[in-house]
Amino acid sequence: MAAPCKAVIIPGNGGEDVATHGWYGWVKRELEQIPGFQCLSKNMPDPITARESIWLPFMEMELHCDEETIIIGHSSGAIAAMRYAETHRVYAIVLVAAYTSDLGDANERASVTSLEPYGSPAVPLSMAASSLGEPARQRAVLHSRKPQCRCSAIMGD
């Protein structure tokens, strides 16, 4: 596999400007200091509902996520990163504030989390994670049944 040449930040849903909201701009500026490395961050289409049928094609066609791309996904963007990696080759994914359910929220039920649960026959992904109640760090390790992507993420307080 080729070395990564770019990172793509996939924000959480909510419609905030990815260039100025939270930590996104800081990460982009830091990564772009690496010689020959590019970091993309664009406002996502359908930013409130974050529908899989809109976000994943955007990641492929507009952001050009491929085997040389590190996808940095936050919240709903982390779910989109996992969903994308199920069917596309990527270099790696970094998950920030990821979750595995609709959180009891009607808007989340309509978003990228609305697909079948992880590990089902239709979604060949298994996830092992420590309890979110544990202090300090949690580690989530993701493995695809097909050797397209092997990813891990460390989440801190």
Side-chain angles (χ1 to χ4, degrees), residues 13 75-76 99 101-103 105-114:
N13 63 349
S75 191
S76 292
Y99 52 92
S101 77
D102 63 23
L103 306 172
D105 182 89
N107 190 60
E108 293 298 329
R109 274 191 290 284
S111 76
V112 291
T113 63
S114 66

Side-chain angles (χ1 to χ4, degrees), residues 85-89 121-122 124-125 143-150:
E86 290 170 348
T87 58
H88 297 79
R89 287 187 171 276
L125 182 70
H143 305 281
S144 172
R145 289 185 192 158
K146 296 177 184 173
Q148 291 179 343
C149 181
R150 182 179 192 100

Side-chain angles (χ1 to χ4, degrees), residues 87-152:
T87 58
H88 297 79
R89 287 187 171 276
V90 300
Y91 189 84
I93 59 176
V94 177
L95 307 176
V96 180
Y99 52 92
T100 59
S101 77
D102 63 23
L103 306 172
D105 182 89
N107 190 60
E108 293 298 329
R109 274 191 290 284
S111 76
V112 291
T113 63
S114 66
L115 300 176
E116 293 187 47
Y118 295 105
S120 72
V123 183
L125 182 70
S126 63
M127 181 172 176
S130 62
S131 166
L132 292 177
E134 290 182 356
R137 296 178 141 356
Q138 296 88 40
R139 181 174 184 89
V141 180
L142 308 175
H143 305 281
S144 172
R145 289 185 192 158
K146 296 177 184 173
Q148 291 179 343
C149 181
R150 182 179 192 100
C151 312
S152 65

Side-chain angles (χ1 to χ4, degrees), residues 17-136:
D17 184 3
V18 72
T20 60
H21 182 71
W23 50 267
Y24 306 136
W26 176 82
V27 168
K28 183 178 184 341
R29 286 188 303 278
E30 291 294 311
L31 290 175
E32 287 182 335
Q33 292 181 30
I34 300 169
F37 196 80
Q38 175 186 23
C39 184
L40 301 176
S41 61
K42 290 186 179 180
N43 292 324
M44 299 297 285
D46 188 35
I48 303 300
T49 307
R51 285 174 287 218
E52 177 261 348
S53 62
I54 296 172
W55 277 33
L56 299 191
F58 184 81
M59 291 170 68
E60 180 177 20
M61 304 305 290
E62 297 294 324
L63 299 174
H64 307 288
C65 296
D66 58 23
E67 62 260 359
E68 296 179 353
T69 304
I70 298 169
I71 300 174
I72 303 169
H74 172 238
S75 191
S76 292
I79 306 308
M82 288 188 285
R83 295 294 185 201
Y84 189 85
E86 290 170 348
T87 58
H88 297 79
R89 287 187 171 276
V90 300
Y91 189 84
I93 59 176
V94 177
L95 307 176
V96 180
Y99 52 92
T100 59
S101 77
D102 63 23
L103 306 172
D105 182 89
N107 190 60
E108 293 298 329
R109 274 191 290 284
S111 76
V112 291
T113 63
S114 66
L115 300 176
E116 293 187 47
Y118 295 105
S120 72
V123 183
L125 182 70
S126 63
M127 181 172 176
S130 62
S131 166
L132 292 177
E134 290 182 356

